[in-house]
């Protein structure tokens, strides 16, 4: 079951909040919306560009996508951030997405664009900026929310250069300290944003967001607003 609340505006971002009663419900709703967005984009433009998030709830959704029916040949896959670790490290977002989903569907290999974070934050960010530079507006960006209010690798108290499409991250408060992230401006250049927020540990961040505190998640501000899918937190 889904309950939808009134939109909230913070930091020029309009957020629409959706509350689900179970993990299965939020997973299935996210799956349905992703597949619908893909179909709409392919019908309108002949392709579908999606930016993936890391984390447990996205992983569950990717597991559902693995068995879904879609025109995979038209999908183009990107990532919102990744950790500067070897390509086969268990904590790489790209490895998780490949193992759970991407290796099992017929998306052409040259249409799956991992962040080359193994090159290190500076060189990897330069390389990924070049990869996304030729993309106009993304079709769908998936994002999570950290307990501190961060999203992608946009952390509280950090400064990033929004003139860049992708930027190096140093001294991240969560290990590993070195990462690569798409910028807030680049993540906002999309037709649709879906935040997936689950677990009681996110309650303070959700409260801050809904009470108008400018946490990092609020700098993602596409013209169409963002949809926040939630389970396990109270929407006060």
């Amino acid at each position: 079951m889904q309950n939808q609340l009134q939109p909230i505006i913070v930091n020029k971002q309009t957020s629409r909040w959706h509350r689900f009663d179970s993990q299965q419900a939020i997973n299935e709703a996210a799956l349905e919306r992703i597949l619908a967005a893909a179909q709409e984009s392919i019908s309108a433009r002949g392709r579908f560009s999606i930016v993936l998030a890391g984390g447990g709830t996205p992983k569950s959704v990717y597991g559902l996508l693995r068995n879904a029916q879609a025109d995979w040949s038209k999908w183009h896959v990107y990532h919102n951030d990744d950790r500067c670790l070897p390509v086969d490290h268990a904590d790489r977002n790209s490895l998780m997405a490949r193992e759970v989903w991407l290796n099992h569907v017929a998306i052409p290999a040259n249409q799956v664009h991992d962040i080359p974070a193994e090159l290190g934050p500076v060189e990897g960010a330069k390389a990924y900026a070049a990869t996304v530079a030729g993309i106009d507006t993304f079709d769908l960006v998936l994002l999570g929310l950290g307990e501190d209010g961060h999203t992608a690798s946009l952390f509280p108290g950090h400064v990033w250069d929004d003139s860049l499409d992708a930027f190096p991250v140093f001294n991240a408060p969560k290990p590993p300290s070195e990462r690569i992230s798409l910028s807030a401006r680049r993540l906002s250049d999309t037709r649709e944003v879906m935040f997936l927020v689950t677990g009681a540990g996110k309650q303070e961040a959700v409260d801050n967001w809904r009470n108008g505190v400018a946490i990092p998640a609020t700098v993602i501000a596409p013209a169409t607003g963002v949809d926040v899918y939630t389970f396990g937190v109270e929407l006060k």
Side-chain angles (χ1 to χ4, degrees):
M1 180 180 176
Q2 174 187 351
N3 296 311
Q4 185 168 346
L5 285 77
Q6 286 294 109
I8 293 173
I9 300 176
V10 184
N11 246 0
K12 299 182 180 180
Q13 175 205 71
T14 300
S15 56
R16 295 174 294 270
W17 293 77
H18 310 261
R19 180 172 54 205
F20 296 88
D21 293 338
S22 69
Q23 187 68 56
Q24 180 179 356
I26 190 174
N27 291 349
E28 291 178 350
L31 171 70
E32 181 179 352
R33 185 57 223 150
I34 292 168
L35 292 174
Q39 189 172 28
E40 292 162 10
S41 297
I42 292 168
S43 295
R45 292 173 291 280
R47 57 177 284 150
F48 175 56
S49 58
I50 182 172
V51 181
L52 305 185
T57 296
K59 181 177 180 179
S60 297
V61 176
Y62 304 156
L64 296 177
L65 280 166
R66 172 177 175 165
N67 299 311
Q69 299 298 313
D71 187 357
W72 299 118
S73 68
K74 303 294 199 305
W75 288 51
H76 298 257
V77 179
Y78 303 85
H79 290 268
N80 65 40
D81 77 333
D82 215 338
R83 302 166 173 91
C84 292
L85 298 166
V87 292
D88 58 352
H89 195 285
D91 290 339
R92 282 288 295 264
N93 290 337
S94 56
L95 181 65
M96 178 271 281
R98 285 180 176 275
E99 289 184 340
V100 173
W101 166 35
L102 299 174
N103 288 347
H104 308 279
V105 298
I107 300 175
N110 66 351
Q111 292 173 201
V112 178
H113 304 281
D114 294 345
I115 298 176
E118 65 278 4
L119 300 179
V122 174
E123 293 306 315
K126 288 179 182 177
Y128 210 57
T131 295
V132 301
I135 308 303
D136 291 328
T137 299
F138 293 125
D139 293 308
L140 175 61
V141 169
L142 302 180
L143 291 165
L145 178 70
E147 295 181 4
D148 60 357
H150 84 269
T151 192
S153 282
L154 310 176
F155 290 101
H158 283 214
V159 177
W160 55 87
D161 185 349
D162 253 347
S163 70
L164 303 175
D165 284 345
F167 66 95
V169 177
F170 303 95
N171 301 315
K174 297 179 63 176
S177 62
E178 294 186 344
R179 301 164 176 239
I180 295 166
S181 182
L182 294 185
S183 66
R185 175 191 56 79
R186 194 65 186 87
L187 290 168
S188 299
D189 188 5
T190 181
R191 293 179 175 86
E192 188 172 349
V193 170
M194 180 194 300
F195 279 89
L196 297 173
V197 181
T198 62
K202 310 294 177 66
Q203 188 66 60
E204 182 178 358
V206 166
D207 290 345
N208 285 337
W209 189 347
R210 290 177 55 78
N211 289 329
V213 178
I215 61 173
T218 66
V219 301
I220 310 301
T224 53
V226 306
D227 288 280
V228 189
Y229 285 31
T230 69
F231 166 63
V233 293
E234 295 295 325
L235 302 184
K236 303 170 185 177

